[in-house]
Amino acid sequence: MTIYDLANVVRSKNAGPFLLTIDLLFASSDDLDRVLQSPAFTPAIIAQRYGVAPDQVSVHVWPSACAIKVTLPRSVSSGAPGDRDVYGSQQHLPLATLEITEDKQVGLHDSV
Amino acid sequence: MQTDSITYLSLCGMLGYGFPEAGLTAGLKANPAFIGIDAGSTDPGPYYLGSGRNFVHPAQVRRDLELALTAARTHRIPLIIGTAGGAGARPHVDDFLTILREISQRHRLHYRLAVIYADFDAETVVAAWQAGRLTPCGSAPDITESDIRQCRHRVGQMGTEPLIQALNDGADVIIAGRCCDTAIFAALPIHRGYDPALALHSAKIAECGTLCAVPGGANDALLVTLERDAFTVCPVNPGKRCLPQTVAAHSLYEQPDPSRFVEPEGVVLLDDTRFEAVDERTVRVRGTRLSTPNHISIKIEGSKPVGHRSLTLAGACDPRVIASLDRIEAEVREKVAAMMQNSPGAGDVSLIVRRYGLDAVTGASPPAGQALPAEVGVLFEAIAPTRELADTAVSLARSTALHQGFPGRKTTAGNFAFPFSPSDFSGGEVYEFALYHLLTPAAGQTFFHPELSQV
């Protein structure tokens, strides 16, 4: 099951011309927690999917809205030569296609 | 000066997108203290700020503005419009004022008008940059003096202060250039003594119209009521509802951090904010706080021209053409470079090929082994220092691609289906955001001075 399957809302948008922000809204805190606890959901993995450095990925959790917000730099600024998406609204898939595994053993072995 | 509560009407998420007239009519029944409308954004990219053109057509602006202005004057309530003309620089504001004056004349409207320009001249911004008073916002890149000067227009986002000043000066209609979205809706409540934190948070929600409601869509009216220690939001359209989770979720919208957002008035803190249902379509919000800044800073925006764009669009449905697109593109690039090598400026031509149906949106290779689509749309784009060069590059790319051979080719009469004659289009000047910085004014420096006049 991917984040895309689990979340109610998966939306990407610009936060200013240089940043991309992706909101994940879940139906319940159980679903939210499943993603947060998944070993696939890390800044390093997200960074690799978007081609940025891990320290450029910020993850905010908002439990009261059952929401996760991921923000990272755009590869080029909005509307600059080579930009593929001026509004940034179709850039969610690299994050949304992450498989949410429930295998806690995997999580333990992955700890560095 | 503060009464028990104040209600205001946010007509829609963007002036010119065509808000439902029924929303305005019904919203006015709630006796709003003012009508506010956000008229611009950087969302559509750098072109509008750079070129001075509006991104909403005058006919659309006229339709929305006429309804809002006549309603506001009939009910004798202020109309506050921010980021006029789409990007809020002088040409945008002046174009907007032309439409405003034409409507006012036609309806014989008379009122006190305040215009607040938001333009910053290059000298002011360069001086700030040299003095270390200009810092990048978010992930904005480093800037040079040349970048600052190359920006056709530079605007700063005004906060509530100049709008409050205009209200103090007796303005009935305020047309502001580049403006913080929140200032449009927070100015009058703050002016009337309501809690700035609540005013700013309610404004942040209001500036997107009914985006905080379900079913989705921003282009509809929202009623906001500010109380002493809370505010409520409710869509005017009875078919829509605000729910605690939808209003809470809106706080994430377009912001990098859901727990706070920064305005000229300070940092609005949402850590203790609570959202509760008043009824099945109204939400009450309380607990938002404001941390006031040590110094004022103004967000400056500017985009600089980087060339001219020409483009052509064509489709392919032959499986071998689609499978050979990389190869065709490589040959096209080689040939265009060879044929243009003696043209002055040819070294500055960049050719971009986008394959819709494959990877134009994602930029990512499809997984290996995945079947290719039945059709692909290929957009050939050239950006060059002059229109002439861009046109030439696209023309060469297009004719080469159409006739380009490749191993296994069967469609020897042509690789692409062009929808149009002529096939090539000039896309105008290309801009790139260069300024997205915070400017700290020097001691005694003030900006955003309302200009009052009688219409």
Side-chain angles (χ1 to χ4, degrees):
Chain A
M1 175 170 269
T2 64
I3 290 180
Y4 191 85
D5 298 324
L6 204 49
N8 272 354
V9 171
V10 179
R11 66 184 183 202
S12 74
K13 189 107 198 281
N14 293 341
F18 298 94
L19 289 175
L20 186 72
T21 191
I22 306 160
D23 297 340
L24 308 171
L25 306 182
F26 299 91
S28 69
S29 8
D30 284 344
D31 289 343
L32 171 68
D33 290 339
R34 277 173 78 182
V35 171
L36 291 175
Q37 283 155 23
S38 167
F41 189 78
T42 69
I45 290 175
I46 296 168
Q48 188 253 334
R49 289 201 157 208
Y50 282 93
V52 301
D55 63 1
Q56 292 179 302
V57 175
S58 85
V59 179
H60 288 276
V61 184
W62 222 25
S64 63
C66 289
I68 301 171
K69 173 177 277 287
V70 175
T71 304
L72 47 104
R74 291 175 54 103
S75 48
V76 295
S77 64
S78 168
D83 185 20
R84 293 188 302 272
D85 188 345
V86 172
Y87 288 76
S89 39
Q90 288 286 292
Q91 301 307 314
H92 54 293
L93 284 185
L95 173 62
T97 51
L98 279 173
E99 283 282 344
I100 297 306
T101 163
E102 314 219 324
D103 189 342
K104 294 191 171 52
Q105 294 299 316
V106 173
L108 283 170
H109 292 150
D110 271 354
S111 64
V112 177
Chain B
M1 210 178 192
Q2 184 194 354
T3 48
D4 283 342
S5 70
I6 187 174
T7 296
Y8 66 82
L9 182 62
S10 167
L11 271 183
C12 57
M14 177 63 61
L15 189 150
Y17 278 9
F19 60 82
E21 190 174 348
L24 171 60
T25 315
L28 288 166
K29 294 196 171 104
N31 285 321
F34 70 95
I35 296 174
I37 317 178
D38 184 5
S41 169
T42 54
D43 283 357
Y47 175 78
Y48 303 95
L49 178 57
S51 65
R53 316 258 320 252
N54 288 10
F55 78 88
V56 181
H57 279 257
Q60 293 171 262
V61 173
R62 191 174 301 120
R63 182 263 176 197
D64 282 10
L65 182 58
E66 185 160 3
L67 284 170
L69 180 65
T70 51
R73 292 316 306 144
T74 302
H75 287 76
R76 294 274 183 265
I77 54 175
L79 174 65
I80 302 172
I81 294 176
T83 311
R90 188 167 283 262
H92 308 99
V93 175
D94 288 346
D95 283 350
F96 191 87
L97 290 172
T98 301
I99 299 173
L100 180 79
R101 294 205 161 93
E102 184 271 325
I103 295 169
S104 305
Q105 195 162 15
R106 207 155 22 84
H107 288 270
R108 299 189 204 287
L109 301 174
H110 299 288
Y111 51 85
R112 197 149 171 74
L113 170 69
V115 177
I116 315 175
Y117 290 102
D119 304 83
F120 279 65
D121 60 50
E123 295 312 322
T124 305
V125 183
V126 168
W129 174 76
Q130 285 168 342
R133 289 185 286 107
L134 192 73
T135 54
C137 258
S139 230
D142 293 332
I143 200 166
T144 64
E145 178 174 338
S146 169
D147 290 329
I148 296 171
R149 293 188 185 284
Q150 280 181 67
C151 290
R152 289 271 161 76
H153 309 102
R154 286 154 296 270
V155 291
Q157 288 192 14
M158 71 184 80
T160 52
E161 198 180 308
L163 300 175
I164 291 171
Q165 194 187 329
L167 290 167
N168 268 330
D169 292 340
D172 300 307
V173 175
I174 303 175
I175 304 301
R178 188 68 175 118
C179 190
C180 292
D181 303 338
T182 50
I184 299 165
F185 304 96
L188 194 146
I190 292 175
H191 176 56
R192 297 254 181 109
Y194 286 85
D195 182 330
L198 295 172
L200 289 166
H201 189 188
S202 76
K204 190 103 196 110
I205 295 168
E207 58 111 340
C208 290
T210 49
L211 200 65
C212 61
V214 286
N219 195 36
D220 205 348
L222 190 76
L223 276 169
V224 179
T225 299
L226 270 164
E227 301 156 356
R228 180 170 290 279
D229 57 2
F231 64 88
T232 64
V233 291
C234 180
V236 172
N237 182 338
K240 296 194 176 181
R241 297 172 295 147
C242 284
L243 304 171
Q245 60 266 36
T246 64
V247 179
H250 178 271
S251 312
L252 284 79
Y253 192 64
E254 289 177 328
Q255 292 292 123
D257 183 340
S259 70
R260 63 200 53 225
F261 57 93
V262 182
E263 300 294 332
E265 295 77 12
V267 184
V268 182
L269 303 165
L270 304 175
D271 307 283
D272 299 325
T273 303
R274 298 287 170 259
F275 304 84
E276 60 200 27
V278 174
D279 57 41
E280 66 275 3
R281 47 197 302 278
T282 309
V283 174
R284 175 171 282 115
V285 183
R286 59 174 86 245
T288 306
R289 292 175 291 113
L290 178 69
S291 150
T292 50
N294 293 330
H295 61 266
I296 306 289
S297 59
I298 302 167
K299 185 183 280 186
I300 307 290
E301 296 163 353
S303 63
K304 62 176 187 181
V306 293
H308 292 254
R309 169 185 285 125
S310 295
L311 57 93
T312 191
L313 173 69
C317 60
D318 176 71
R320 294 184 178 207
V321 170
I322 291 173
S324 309
L325 282 176
D326 287 350
R327 167 121 189 194
I328 293 170
E329 179 181 334
E331 301 274 0
V332 163
R333 287 183 181 284
E334 220 179 277
K335 292 214 174 121
V336 170
M339 286 198 261
M340 289 190 70
Q341 63 187 342
N342 295 321
S343 311
D348 296 321
V349 175
S350 68
L351 198 61
I352 299 168
V353 182
R354 302 164 190 262
R355 302 97 60 93
Y356 286 92
L358 278 183
D359 55 8
V361 174
T362 63
S365 310
Q370 183 167 301
L372 289 174
E375 283 197 15
V376 176
V378 184
L379 184 64
F380 293 90
E381 174 197 0
I383 298 179
T386 65
R387 178 184 164 158
E388 190 64 35
L389 274 170
D391 285 350
T392 305
V394 160
S395 177
L396 281 169
R398 180 248 307 146
S399 57
T400 304
L402 178 60
H403 297 293
Q404 182 60 49
F406 55 87
R409 183 185 190 218
K410 298 200 176 195
T411 52
T412 52
N415 296 327
F416 289 99
F418 288 88
F420 312 118
S421 164
S423 57
D424 307 345
F425 296 90
S426 198
E429 273 202 303
V430 181
Y431 293 85
E432 187 174 318
F433 280 109
L435 268 169
Y436 195 68
H437 289 64
L438 291 175
L439 181 148
T440 305
Q445 241 181 353
T446 58
F447 302 101
F448 312 119
H449 305 117
E451 296 172 21
L452 277 292
S453 64
Q454 204 62 34
V455 171

